[in-house]
Amino acid sequence: MITKKSAMHRFKNIILKILKWIGISIASILFLMFIIPILFPGKVSEQVKLFANKHLAGELDYKKTHLTFFRHFPSLTVSVDDFLLKGSKPFQNDTLLAAKEVAVGINLKNLIFDGNVKIDEIYVTDATANVFVNTKGEANYNVYVSKPSDKPKDTTSTGASIKLDLIKLRNWNIKYNDHAARVLVDAKGLNYTGKGGLSEDIFDLTTDLNIDKLDFSLNRIYYAKQKTLHADLITRINTNALTFVLRKNELRINELPLKFTGFVSILKDGYNLDINAASEKTTIRDMISVLPPQYLEWAKDTKIEGKSDLFFSLKGRFSEPQNQKPRLKARLMLKDGFVSNGKAPVPMNNFNMDLNVDLPDLNTEQLGLDLKNLSFDLGPNNNFKAVVKTKGLDEMLINADVKGAVNLQTLTQALGLKDIDVRGLMDTNIKANGIFSLDKKLFPKTNGYLNLKNGWLKTKYYPNPIQNINVVANIINTDGTFKSLGVKLNPFKFDFEGNPVFVKADLQNFEDVLYKVRAKGTLNVGRIYKVFAKKGLDVSGLIMADLSLNGRQSYATTGQYSSLDNRGNLILKNIKATTEYLPQSFYIKEGNFEFENEKMWFRKFFANYGKSDFALNGYLLNTINYFIERKGTLHGKFKLKSRYILIDEFMALKDGDNSKKSIEVDYAKVENPKSSGVVIIPKNLDVSLEADVKNVEFKGLNLNNLFGLASVNKGEVFLKNTSFDVVGSRMKIDARYQDESPLTANYDVALNVLDFDVQRAYNEIDMVREMATAAKNVKGIVSLDYKLKGDFDKNMTPIYPSLEGGGVVNLRDVEVKNLKMLSAVGDNIGAKAFNNPDMKGVNIETHIKNNLIHVDKFTFKVSILRPTISGTTSFNGLLDLRVRVGILPGGLIGFPIVVTGTHEKPQVKIFSKKGQGIVDALYNEKSNKVIREEKRAEKKTKRQQRKEKEAQEQKAKNAEKQVSKDLKEK
């Protein structure tokens, strides 16, 4: 019989044994956790590094490595600190990924029992990733190199392999910038966990994703700014077909929930998409949470109620080479909206919106907008309603009905807007139905008006308001064409800083506009910009106008100037202006413009651009038509005076204060940060200039006292009968210049110069050193008459393989000493006089094409000898010249010499006519790339030459037989 005491003793022993074994097990596990990293560190580290070097195309660097259980318990992980991975070509100097720690989890079973390193987990912490695709579609992330082989797999080989089940990313900042698609995604504070058999051909990936701040833009338009994102996803991934099926995909952007279904397939040349998204049965407040951050502060203190639904789909193929793009559809519905601020006398009530968007092929010319309803009210007789339906863009089908009478002060108070105070009574009633097309001069049948009485606008950025704003605008169109379109502005006026501004306009028949415009007032531009908090426009400029414009559009185009009655003055002072293709701003110090019928005279115009200054006197012709016509061109004639113009600061990619450059210029700057770009010429100018410039500087070359005629026409600049002083000589020039992109341009130039100091030109002009290396050994005066055409590269430097042209160089009074090519000839024939030949008065005619300079025959004196030289040389110094050394009497008797090799190491053969040709360079004008550089032609034996000749003859016979066969068949 077991007593109670013995039972307790036995139970106590069992517990002690269990605790003992647990302690031994824990100690053993801890021992193994310490001993395994000690036993295997070399093998693991070596095999992981071997794997990385074998499979990564980008440069990899890191500091310390660790093998431990404790960083990502309970996994055994190989960790590297301060990890740095650079991109694939051509981005090998740019960082793709930098991380405080990158760790890979090792499969313990394979390591202990098989001695193999199997990677099944990846951890990356505190990382910054920069993913970039340039405008050519080249990406920096192609760093993983897979090397397929026809050989059977060697199952006995050692080395690291990947079979992933877990990916953990902690505290990432990711920037995805795709210039080809014009997409930017910037995610900060990203945390990601992905689980699944990632190494399987088909697997389900479970994803948990959180982003603290997310920006998304397309074509530089931000659709999301500093949004928080949470995603709970299950995605089925087929690695064989590169297809992602969205099985469970729940997102939350700020407070707005979204659910996604569909799939994404990655194709060889793009994507195949079928994605549907919905945010159903949410609230208007949830929808507002995705607005830009500046509006969210407003929403915190405002009572917002109502229901919202959002539907979105993207379906189709995206392929840039095949010009295929998917179709986008979206629908947003807001119902029973209510917005109220505590200070508002009445709330905004019954706010409803139903908007449908359809964008086939992502083509804005097919854009369909259907605003079935946009309505709200602010109490009795204070409501607004709009119904608008459009299809297309350049040729837009419109059906619109907009009607409302709103007290703007009540609206502002109901919305609780803090930074702006708007007042006035706005009343509008506009109906339009038909096609709007500028090209076809169609306008929807329209009848309507917009009235604003006693308007007032004040912001927190400036203490004084724009007040007494009154607008009475009427628009009517009876037959759907420009002919019956009439717009009447009677009047538009306001007061600002004690200065009244008044505009009255009556425009009829837009096929041939009959206009009557009266404008008078003074506007402080600097202060008006402060009202709207526009940064970067810090010039306190003034615009003073007193204009009366009366006439018909055709009067100017048909020369009926006496029928025009355009008069008055427009004065600008201290105005800052920018254009999207120039890096800096123009500062108009003073501009006094006088209107006189068809002409807008520049009576006084002084401006600065960087270090450059301009004074213009002349006129623009037909300026009224420029503003009326679509894609109009400004015509004009001016006298231009300047003390200094620096061409370099006009180059598109130079640094400057202009933050509103074109997207093409911005992308070119990002992709070519060390390049200057070329000068971009406006396409809408047809202006002639009589130029008088004291000093023009271009890439360190000074041109002084420039006089001549310049013209700008449709994006091209022409110089005619222009002359200037350069390196102490007067040069005459005719030229044409045209940009092709921010990075390329082409030009033609015909130049003539007398009394040119060769040594000074060689020392001061880069192009002379490049094109005429022999000038290094020439002293004295030459004359030049030459024509060239070619391209500029991304630093506005001539691309020498693109050069084509020719001309004559007259060695008027020169001294040629120790020219290596001539000295080598002299050494071989025992005539030291070749070291100092007499070349005075010699004309050398050359022709340039494909980086080769072809030299026509020219003769000169060397003591009693009469050498004649002809042949070919290249810009990289190759020689293939024929020299005939004439002997007395008069050089009638002579012997041949061939000079090959290079300028620095010429090779001479006496009594030989057989040189070694130079294969010319190949240049692609469309891509502005050198496909092949010039090179020495291969030497061929007589047997090879005979075989090639026989092959060519046989090819010709076959072609003749084929022609005869085709004729018989016909």
Side-chain angles (χ1 to χ4, degrees), residues 95-197:
T95 298
L96 173 61
L97 176 64
K100 184 178 179 181
E101 181 206 27
V102 174
V104 292
I106 307 299
N107 187 297
L108 194 57
K109 174 180 173 294
N110 288 98
L111 179 64
I112 294 174
F113 296 105
D114 302 330
N116 292 333
V117 177
K118 300 289 184 182
I119 299 171
D120 57 8
E121 297 174 351
I122 291 180
Y123 306 86
V124 186
T125 306
D126 295 334
T128 299
N130 290 292
V131 182
F132 181 67
V133 182
N134 66 17
T135 48
K136 299 176 184 178
E138 298 169 329
N140 70 339
Y141 53 79
N142 295 318
V143 293
Y144 182 78
V145 179
S146 59
K147 297 181 179 179
S149 175
D150 296 332
K151 297 179 181 179
K153 292 182 180 179
D154 183 4
T155 56
T156 63
S157 65
T158 61
S161 62
I162 295 180
K163 190 174 182 180
L164 290 178
D165 294 312
L166 174 67
I167 297 177
K168 275 193 176 183
L169 311 179
R170 289 291 173 265
N171 193 27
W172 273 53
N173 294 330
I174 299 178
K175 192 171 187 178
Y176 173 79
N177 198 349
D178 190 334
H179 284 183
R182 297 189 173 184
V183 170
L184 172 66
V185 179
D186 193 356
K188 293 182 173 64
L190 180 145
N191 292 279
Y192 170 88
T193 301
K195 296 179 180 179

Side-chain angles (χ1 to χ4, degrees), residues 372-387:
K372 294 184 176 181
N373 180 32
L374 173 62
S375 60
F376 63 87
D377 64 61
L378 295 162
N381 302 318
N382 204 342
N383 52 62
F384 179 86
K385 184 172 183 179
V387 177

Side-chain angles (χ1 to χ4, degrees), residues 3 33 173 219 351 444 546 608 675 764 804 826 832 915 943 956:
T3 64
M33 291 174 70
N173 294 330
N219 280 329
F351 177 58
D546 188 356
N608 288 92
S675 300
E764 296 182 25
E804 189 174 335
K832 292 184 178 181
R943 183 182 179 188

